[in-house]
């Protein structure tokens, strides 16, 4: 039996350990921190809840954990967009009932994965800090001993120690970039009447060029809001340093947060802002002549900005793709790792770019009439031609089409849409009112879907 | 008196220590390696000689070392391009007598700078390896003790330890990329008659899409050739692993190397290829509330591919720019360091891009008739309008125009040239033979400059 050492017991590490155990590996997981199931542990600076989309769902279904997780999640059927004037607008994610996201607490999901891994015989070693990786054995040296394995997996996040050691002394590409914006998390508590203070079954977005908020619902009726602001400037985290300044800023930019979060000013000032990093690296793996190897996955291989909500989903899809590569090359680990990197890296590179672009979209375009018209046209066309016309967001969030193929397909659709729009304009400008009315009906959304439910 | 600790006694570190000493700093230089003046030391994997161009010359003149160095250098007045058929073609660098490069041994230049620094009172501490940097003091911890200073300078090269420690725990941008090509150095010895085996007062280039050689002359009549090849593939370093394969490859691609370098096959097989890395990072500096700081310069801040011959020259210009910033803010070190980074980083970012583009130029375009015609047109226009028309290469190598301004100016000239070319074509196509002859005379180079001297 082959054995594997996984570094990192976060979401990616605990999920891949389940896949490996099911494939017959003897698996040990090394984790720097305390067991998250220990009462009183609390991860600082990590986002509290996450949006599970199709790629993540498929992976959880593959390991048979999806149904057990369902009660812990809240479905999100679209976005509720909050305007500074207090107006709310609902934008459905898609046309089908399965085009929904599921909000879940990072902690709940992680514990479920660790429990499942232990059921499969995985051994977790907590409080083991990596101090070195020997990629020629391979082995992982920690402050509590050295661990040799046939397969070492670096699932230790954006600041991966495995990545650092894997890259030493060879031609390693590394792109690391921080956004000049950070974030703080704010809890929208359940109302005094025990009911949610706003629509629960949706993702909430407060767009804006100079600051934005995204909020996910929790199963207990509360929501967790993440406020993104520039670090510097009078209206950045640096300048918003007194209760008066914070209150004035929120009243002007995000007025409804003052009623949704009674202690919003205190919450805002309680913690320092967290950073947002994007990491791109190559190669992801190394192999020994003896058929062993080291490989990175998840944030260790490709940390992205959170604006497409795909960080965890991409990490889960990594685990699924790696599992398929191990199945395709059962007696050739180096080949399996090379196949994994070849199959996967081009697509996560695209995801990094898409996540960067969605930052612009969330900040500004969600309020632009032109952009909203485009979104609407996309959904109308998707309704008319459900198979052949699929908007980019739908491809990314609600399918498992590889990221790169999704982008390529969306570009083709963009070109087609430009031509179609030109033709429609021509029709509208030159032909009878009857034709105009027909076109009008095609473009208008069906009644009753514009309201926030 | 302020004191400074410089990490790295290479070209950038020893030059900046001279500047600092002249400005009144008490300077210590910490260097991991042995004193290069110790008999028997030899740096493995570093390029042996370099082309000193205007930016480097200006810095050496500023510290008063230029005249003393002149006897150690060989002037290069242009490129000699070698074709696989054995033909040689001379391309002058510029039109003026001062548009020349100077080939110099890295070792000679480094020793001259260290000697000069010691004359200025700089203390060199050899065999001191950096193990940490505390940017809040600031201080440098080495395996032989800790060194505190008002100003810490990281001049410790592309794999800078100072950079690593400076970037810890803050939002640091890092782009690190390796070329899929490496290089080996080959010595073209003096002929048996004691004379150089080829034209000495030029840079020699063997262009090619699948491999290229660049050779610099040495003062003793030998030349040092650097052969660049892909790492992988049958005609990369990996595939050229037997004397027969190397000889066959050289005979086909670089036939004259077999006569210029009698033991070329043995030299080729004697050493492993070296890597080429490009590094872009930000920020370059940190400051303390107490008016102290840490700053990177040279390769530690911006390692570039060697294809524009600007690595050392940019590092020397860094030292000169930093010195001017220190002069402009004599009592405010944090302001001086911020001014240095603001003034300098945008331009070295451009240099990284130009160095990448010149790799393409050296590989392929030097043989393209269209490209050569463009080069010629550039030089003709430069001769006609010496002040207002300056080719990009001339701006980079023979002036101190900041890199970013040089690129912007070159782009304006490109647009103008496109228009001019169109007009000339129109004239040629529509007007009398007399006008055609006039245009012909304008475009032709002056007689007697096409031969290799």
């Amino acid at each position: 039996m082959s054995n594997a050492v996984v570094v990192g017991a976060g979401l990616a590490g605990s999920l891949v350990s389940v896949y490996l155990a099911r494939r017959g590996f003897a698996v040990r997981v090394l984790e720097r921190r305390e067991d998250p199931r220990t009462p009183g542990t609390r991860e600082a600076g990590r986002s509290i809840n996450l949006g599970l989309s199709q790629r993540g769902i498929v992976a959880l279904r593959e390991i048979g954990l999806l149904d057990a997780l369902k009660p812990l999640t809240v479905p999100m059927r679209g976005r509720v967009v909050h305007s500074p004037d207090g107006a709310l607008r609902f934008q459905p994610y898609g046309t089908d009932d399965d085009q929904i996201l599921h909000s879940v607490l990072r902690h709940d999901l992680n514990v479920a994965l660790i429990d499942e891994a232990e059921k499969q015989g995985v051994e977790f070693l907590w409080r083991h800090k990596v101090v070195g990786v020997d990629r020629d054995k391979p082995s992982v040296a920690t402050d509590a001993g050295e661990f040799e394995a046939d397969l070492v997996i670096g699932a230790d996040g954006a600041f991966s120690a495995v990545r650092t050691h894997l890259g030493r002394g060879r031609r390693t590409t590394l792109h690391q970039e921080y956004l000049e914006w950070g974030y703080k998390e704010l809890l929208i508590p359940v109302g005094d009447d025990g009911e949610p203070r706003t629509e629960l079954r949706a993702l909430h977005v407060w767009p804006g060029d100079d600051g934005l908020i995204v909020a996910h619902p929790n199963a207990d009726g509360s929501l967790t809001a993440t406020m993104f602001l520039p670090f510097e400037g009078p209206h950045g985290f640096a300048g918003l340093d007194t209760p008066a300044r914070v209150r004035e800023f929120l009243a002007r930019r995000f007025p409804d947060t003052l009623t949704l979060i009674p202690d919003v000013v205190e919450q805002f000032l309680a913690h320092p802002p967290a950073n947002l990093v994007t990491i791109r690296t190559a190669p992801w793996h190394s192999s020994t002549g003896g058929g062993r190897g080291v490989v990175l996955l998840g944030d260790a291989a490709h940390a992205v900005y959170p604006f497409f909500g795909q960080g965890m989903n991409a990490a889960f899809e990594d685990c699924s793709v790696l599992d398929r590569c191990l199945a395709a090359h059962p007696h050739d680990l180096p080949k399996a790792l090379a196949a994994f990197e070849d199959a996967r890296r081009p697509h996560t590179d695209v995801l990094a770019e898409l996540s960067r672009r969605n930052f612009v979209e969330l900040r500004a375009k969600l309020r632009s009439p032109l952009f909203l018209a485009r979104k609407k046209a996309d959904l109308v066309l998707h309704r008319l031609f459900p198979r052949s016309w699929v908007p980019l967001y739908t491809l990314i969030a609600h399918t498992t089409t590889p990221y790169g193929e999704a982008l390529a397909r969306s570009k083709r659709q963009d070109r087609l849409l430009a031509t179609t729009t030109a033709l429609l304009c021509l029709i509208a400008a030159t032909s009878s009112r009857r034709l105009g009315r027909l076109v009008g009906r095609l473009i208008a959304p069906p009644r009753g879907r514009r309201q926030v439910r």
Side-chain angles (χ1 to χ4, degrees), chain A:
Chain A
M1 186 164 79
S2 297
N3 64 74
V5 162
V6 176
V7 178
L11 297 175
S14 48
L15 176 62
V16 80
S17 73
V18 175
Y19 272 110
L20 292 173
R22 290 163 60 100
R23 194 153 291 290
F25 281 82
V27 188
R28 278 171 301 183
V29 180
L30 310 176
E31 169 59 53
R32 186 171 47 86
R33 287 166 296 191
E34 181 56 87
D35 186 339
R37 296 165 299 187
T38 309
T41 57
R42 151 106 180 87
E43 287 187 57
R46 306 295 299 273
S47 64
I48 297 172
N49 53 15
L50 300 154
L52 195 56
S53 64
Q54 190 60 19
R55 294 162 208 272
I57 289 168
V58 164
L60 292 173
R61 188 179 291 134
E62 281 178 353
I63 63 155
L65 203 61
L66 188 63
D67 291 338
L69 277 171
K70 270 279 168 70
L72 303 174
T73 67
V74 182
M76 301 187 289
R77 300 189 169 272
R79 292 167 172 161
V80 174
V81 179
H82 295 240
S83 299
D85 61 7
L88 303 185
R89 213 167 38 221
F90 181 71
Q91 300 169 352
Y93 278 133
T95 51
D96 291 356
D97 264 1
D98 63 344
Q99 290 182 357
I100 55 178
L101 306 182
H102 301 268
S103 179
V104 62
L105 286 170
R106 175 192 288 274
H107 178 267
D108 289 353
L109 184 54
N110 205 351
V111 166
L113 287 167
I114 293 167
D115 286 344
E116 175 65 21
E118 285 187 342
K119 261 191 232 163
Q120 304 280 344
V122 173
E123 184 188 359
F124 284 82
L125 300 165
W126 308 102
R127 299 181 305 278
H128 279 59
K129 187 184 167 186
V130 171
V131 296
V133 174
D134 181 339
R135 61 173 186 258
D136 294 325
K137 286 182 175 177
S139 73
V140 180
T142 73
D143 51 3
E146 191 176 350
F147 299 85
E148 204 171 323
D150 299 301
L151 173 60
V152 169
I153 292 193
D156 50 344
F159 303 101
S160 170
V162 177
R163 182 180 69 227
T164 303
H165 294 289
L166 185 67
R168 290 241 161 104
R170 60 180 194 158
R171 299 191 297 278
T172 302
T173 301
L174 179 68
H175 297 280
Q176 168 185 306
E177 235 163 14
Y178 284 85
L179 202 63
E180 287 307 304
W181 288 39
Y183 70 92
K184 288 189 176 189
E185 279 173 344
L186 307 167
L187 183 75
I188 301 175
V190 179
D192 297 332
D193 56 359
E195 292 297 310
R197 287 172 186 259
T198 185
E199 167 62 33
L200 200 66
R201 291 154 71 90
L203 183 88
H204 290 254
V205 183
W206 288 252
D209 211 21
D210 52 352
L212 67 95
I213 306 177
V214 177
H216 287 79
N218 297 319
D220 68 357
S222 66
L223 293 95
T224 310
T226 309
M227 181 181 290
F228 298 89
L229 289 180
F231 281 106
E232 304 302 330
H235 301 121
F237 286 117
L240 298 171
D241 54 354
T242 66
R245 284 177 184 159
V246 174
R247 185 170 300 277
E248 184 279 328
F249 174 73
L250 294 177
R252 185 170 52 78
R253 280 290 293 111
F254 307 113
D256 55 353
T257 59
L258 293 169
T259 49
L260 289 171
I261 312 175
D263 62 342
V264 64
V265 175
E266 292 70 26
Q267 282 196 39
F268 185 95
L269 291 170
H271 301 290
N275 285 321
L276 298 162
V277 70
T278 185
I279 303 266
R280 207 151 54 77
T281 192
W284 285 359
H285 81 284
S286 73
S287 294
T288 70
R292 300 169 143 206
V294 180
V295 69
L296 305 173
L297 53 74
D299 280 3
H302 51 73
V304 299
Y305 293 146
F307 304 108
F308 225 122
Q310 284 291 306
M312 168 193 54
N313 291 289
F316 280 15
E317 195 170 49
D318 285 353
C319 300
S320 171
V321 172
L322 177 62
D323 186 58
R324 265 177 279 151
C325 293
L326 290 169
H329 306 283
H331 306 297
D332 193 339
L333 192 62
K335 209 173 217 170
L337 300 186
F340 169 66
E341 181 167 351
D342 284 352
R344 192 64 182 147
R345 189 153 53 74
H347 295 296
T348 55
D349 283 354
V350 166
L351 176 62
E353 186 49 37
L354 291 176
S355 300
R356 202 189 306 268
R357 276 166 44 175
N358 233 36
F359 177 52
V360 179
E361 180 165 317
L362 279 174
R363 277 167 66 196
K365 291 186 177 173
L366 277 189
R367 294 194 300 190
S368 139
L370 201 69
F371 178 77
L372 292 176
R374 167 61 213 272
K375 280 259 168 206
K376 197 181 287 181
D378 248 1
L379 284 181
V380 169
L381 288 163
H382 183 41
R383 199 151 45 225
L384 290 173
F385 314 106
R387 286 205 197 164
S388 56
W389 191 282
V390 188
L392 178 60
Y393 187 89
T394 306
L395 288 169
I396 298 296
H398 303 303
T399 77
T400 54
T401 307
Y403 294 120
E405 288 170 30
L407 179 63
R409 181 167 171 182
S410 150
K411 282 181 179 168
R412 284 197 303 274
Q413 291 177 176
D414 278 353
R415 286 193 296 271
L416 190 57
L417 186 61
T419 314
T420 313
T421 308
L423 281 174
L424 288 176
C425 288
L426 202 66
I427 292 169
T430 57
S431 54
S432 73
R433 278 164 65 193
R434 200 173 143 220
L435 241 179
R437 279 201 301 275
L438 180 66
V439 171
R441 275 209 296 279
L442 269 173
I443 290 178
R447 281 154 215 273
R449 297 204 63 162
R450 310 185 73 173
Q451 302 307 312
V452 175
R453 284 171 297 177

